Amino acid sequence: MSGPRRILLTNDDGIDAPGLSALRDALGRLGEVIVVAPSRELSGCAHSITLNVPVFVEEQVDDHTYVLSGSPADCVKIAVLALLGERPDLVVSGINLGANVGVNVLYSGTVAGALEGAIFNIPSVAVSLQWSPEPDFAAAGDVATRIIEQALADGLPAGVVLNVNVPARSADEVEGVKVAPQCPIELGEAYRNHTEADGRPAYTLIYGEQKPDIPPGCDWALLVAGYVTVTPLRPDLTNEDWLERLGSTEWHL
């Protein structure tokens, strides 16, 4: 990619999220940034899309900012198919507050926004910042933009998502950048059962007291160690090994 770029930016924390604003500012040095983002927080919405009811443009601030009633995937889908006159050169989603490593990529609306771009064969990037009580979104946006710039220079192909996670550390404390596989284990979650004020039994998702052993070299382990992690993802979830194995099975009905 050379020359001016049109960058479509979305997120799952909503249009007012400080991470979105910081990433828009940082990406501005790469090209024209167009924001199409949800009107509200939709963390954990995964790759949901809106069916059977309209998605509303709740606000059009200008030709570069649209606020929609739908999910991050809706935002990218509508931007590409309806809102923008021409397809963007790059889709970026974030900055999410909280890491999207391991199986979290399956639940993440942030990652889903980028994956939707990949479905349209557009190079795409998801950006997340490890949780901290005082997140530095400006620093994370600068780090992510530097990585995006290098990836584009190297020829980031269409249909690939770079899942970028930035550690909650000052710039001089970051250990570097590591390309890492997705952590293959569950995250040590649990449910707290309780009774609501109206008497209904309920379950609330929490992180369990028993933390799993994190395999070395995966995205989660390296992020905790202070590295910016970069993991290439794709929408195709086919298990190639088992595709061949199952293909050799003689099936009977």
Side-chain angles (χ1 to χ4, degrees):
M1 295 171 61
S2 60
R5 301 184 178 95
R6 299 183 80 223
I7 302 167
L8 171 61
L9 176 61
T10 193
N11 74 345
D12 74 352
D13 287 332
I15 189 65
D16 295 322
L20 180 74
S21 177
L23 192 51
R24 174 173 52 193
D25 292 343
L27 289 171
R29 66 177 185 253
L30 300 185
E32 177 188 25
V33 181
I34 302 168
V35 175
V36 183
S39 60
R40 64 198 187 283
E41 185 191 355
L42 290 167
S43 297
C45 70
H47 210 124
S48 63
I49 59 173
T50 302
L51 298 173
N52 302 321
V53 296
V55 175
F56 295 98
V57 178
E58 298 196 355
E59 184 179 6
Q60 181 179 347
V61 178
D62 50 41
D63 289 340
H64 291 81
T65 307
Y66 299 82
V67 185
L68 269 58
S69 63
S71 68
D74 283 329
C75 289
V76 174
K77 190 182 293 290
I78 291 171
V80 172
L81 296 178
L83 278 179
L84 307 183
E86 58 182 291
R87 289 194 175 196
D89 301 304
L90 176 70
V91 173
V92 183
S93 185
I95 300 169
N96 188 71
L97 179 54
N100 278 307
V101 293
V103 297
N104 272 345
V105 302
L106 300 174
Y107 309 129
S108 168
T110 301
V111 175
L115 282 169
E116 187 66 32
I119 290 172
F120 285 110
N121 229 27
I122 301 170
S124 302
V125 181
V127 182
S128 303
L129 174 61
Q130 185 182 25
W131 189 91
S132 75
E134 297 181 355
D136 189 343
F137 288 112
D142 179 67
V143 167
T145 300
R146 290 173 186 270
I147 289 173
I148 291 169
E149 195 168 20
Q150 293 176 66
L152 293 175
D154 288 342
L156 177 63
V160 172
V161 171
L162 293 188
N163 185 34
V164 178
N165 282 275
V166 181
R169 297 187 176 198
S170 61
D172 59 345
E173 293 179 322
V174 173
E175 298 290 341
V177 180
K178 291 282 190 181
V179 176
Q182 179 186 347
C183 185
I185 64 172
E186 58 89 21
L187 300 178
E189 297 165 324
Y191 277 91
R192 177 176 62 87
N193 64 325
H194 56 98
T195 302
E196 290 288 274
D198 60 4
R200 290 182 298 170
Y203 293 86
T204 300
L205 181 64
I206 58 174
Y207 287 100
E209 295 181 3
Q210 294 294 327
K211 298 298 183 184
D213 293 327
I214 307 173
C218 70
D219 55 1
W220 190 6
L222 290 167
L223 180 68
V224 171
Y227 289 93
V228 178
T229 63
V230 180
T231 303
L233 305 175
R234 62 183 182 181
D236 183 359
L237 300 179
T238 304
N239 185 313
E240 300 292 345
D241 294 337
W242 273 91
L243 185 68
E244 182 177 350
R245 180 169 176 175
L246 292 173
S248 64
T249 299
E250 188 174 342
W251 300 95
H252 302 283
L253 296 178

